[in-house]
Amino acid sequence: MSLFKLRQQPSIPNRIIAGGICLALVLLAWNLLTHGRVEDRILPMIPSPGETINSFHELWFDRELSRNTVMSLWRIMQGFGLAALIGVPIGILCGTWPIVNAFLAPITVFGKNVPMSALVPLTMIWFETGEKQKVMFIFIACVAFVILDSARAIRDVHEQYVQSALTLGASKSQITLKVLIPLALPDIYGSLRLLFGLAFGYIILAEIVQGADSIGGLGKLIENSQRRGKSEHIYIILMVITLIAYALDRVLQFIQSKLFAYREEEA
């Protein structure tokens, strides 16, 4: 069958149909496993699709899903924006001058490999448990990856471009500003786009583990739902997080295709 040709990408309609079938099968299995009275279900600990949908009104109006979503997004924007603002220039320096990369290697290697869950109590000690702690947690969790990926993008620029610029008499600063950075920007942007998606998981972790004086956020909403036994709300929140992350990724991908159209054509 043409649909199963080796390594051949399916058409957009076929991709939509395949994804729709998968989703329908998941919903069917969910419904079968949670059908009937709670005590008669195969998985009594999981709410049914109907119970989950019916609880949306309470989650949206009584528990302010929209306000908590905005709070989490704002924290991500601040923390990740700061990581990009600081990490990209440092990464460019590391990729351009390897000695700078060697100097910062102990910090970047530590930041890349330290378990994110271990950073939460540390940032609570350093920044207490307010808004600053959550923003700085996102920054610390992301900045090492931003630096490493930006440096890699600079290093991946083919040496022939540098040699051609040197042959034409370009200075080191001109090569950096007019050759290395422009050619590396598409890869830097693509890396930031992927890392931005990871920041969603980080902010949920930071908001779940927080003090009594901290308010709002999707992580806090998940933690409160767990304590109250509102498991159906947790499922809805996870769906909302997934949909928002996917929608933002599509927007960032669209911007990427417009900013770096020449790379799209090459691909």
Side-chain angles (χ1 to χ4, degrees):
M1 294 179 63
S2 60
L3 290 176
F4 294 95
K5 284 187 177 180
L6 188 65
R7 296 172 63 94
Q8 177 175 296
Q9 290 293 331
S11 64
I12 293 179
N14 285 337
R15 287 163 60 186
I16 294 174
I17 292 172
I21 292 173
C22 177
L23 183 59
L25 290 174
V26 170
L27 291 174
L28 177 61
W30 183 9
N31 187 65
L32 290 175
L33 293 172
T34 58
H35 181 71
R37 296 180 303 173
V38 174
E39 57 271 19
D40 298 330
R41 295 175 182 175
I42 300 175
L43 296 177
M45 74 293 295
I46 298 178
S48 68
E51 292 169 342
T52 302
I53 293 173
N54 292 334
S55 70
F56 181 79
H57 183 277
E58 177 188 356
L59 182 61
W60 182 268
F61 291 101
D62 298 341
R63 306 191 63 198
E64 299 180 309
L65 174 62
S66 59
R67 183 181 68 85
N68 286 285
T69 300
V70 171
M71 290 184 69
S72 292
L73 283 173
W74 177 235
R75 290 163 179 166
I76 294 171
M77 295 291 185
Q78 293 180 87
F80 189 78
L82 185 61
L85 186 65
I86 294 176
V88 171
I90 294 177
I92 290 172
L93 291 176
C94 290
T96 305
W97 289 282
I99 189 63
V100 178
N101 186 59
F103 174 75
L104 293 175
I107 297 175
T108 54
V109 170
F110 175 82
K112 179 183 178 182
N113 293 286
V114 65
M116 292 300 108
S117 57
L119 286 177
V120 177
L122 285 177
T123 55
M124 292 174 70
I125 295 172
W126 296 338
F127 307 105
E128 298 182 344
T129 56
E131 289 298 303
K132 183 186 293 186
Q133 179 263 334
K134 296 167 187 60
V135 172
M136 292 307 297
F137 173 76
I138 294 296
F139 166 74
I140 295 172
C142 294
V143 69
F145 292 96
V146 174
I147 292 172
L148 290 169
D149 286 356
S150 299
R152 184 182 300 111
I154 292 291
R155 290 196 301 269
D156 286 346
V157 175
H158 201 284
E159 183 65 19
Q160 69 181 13
Y161 297 109
V162 176
Q163 294 302 321
S164 298
L166 287 172
T167 301
L168 294 172
S171 64
K172 292 181 179 179
S173 61
Q174 288 174 325
I175 292 174
T176 302
L177 296 174
K178 297 185 178 182
V179 177
L180 293 177
I181 293 178
L183 290 174
L185 270 180
D187 290 331
I188 292 175
Y189 182 95
S191 171
L192 291 176
R193 178 184 141 216
L194 295 177
L195 290 174
F196 185 79
L198 294 178
F200 270 89
Y202 295 154
I203 193 59
I204 299 303
L205 176 62
E207 290 172 344
I208 287 177
V209 185
Q210 57 185 342
D213 59 333
S214 298
I215 58 171
L218 293 174
K220 186 68 173 179
L221 205 54
I222 289 175
E223 192 266 339
N224 287 338
S225 298
Q226 186 271 329
R227 286 195 293 106
R228 298 181 183 182
K230 297 281 188 179
S231 59
E232 62 273 18
H233 287 178
I234 297 177
Y235 287 98
I236 294 175
I237 295 168
L238 293 177
M239 292 176 192
V240 168
I241 293 171
T242 302
L243 290 173
I244 292 176
Y246 178 79
L248 288 175
D249 181 72
R250 295 300 92 188
V251 171
L252 293 174
Q253 185 182 48
F254 175 78
I255 295 173
Q256 182 177 4
S257 68
K258 296 302 179 183
L259 289 175
F260 311 110
Y262 59 93
R263 288 292 293 270
E264 297 291 326
E265 293 174 359
E266 291 176 0

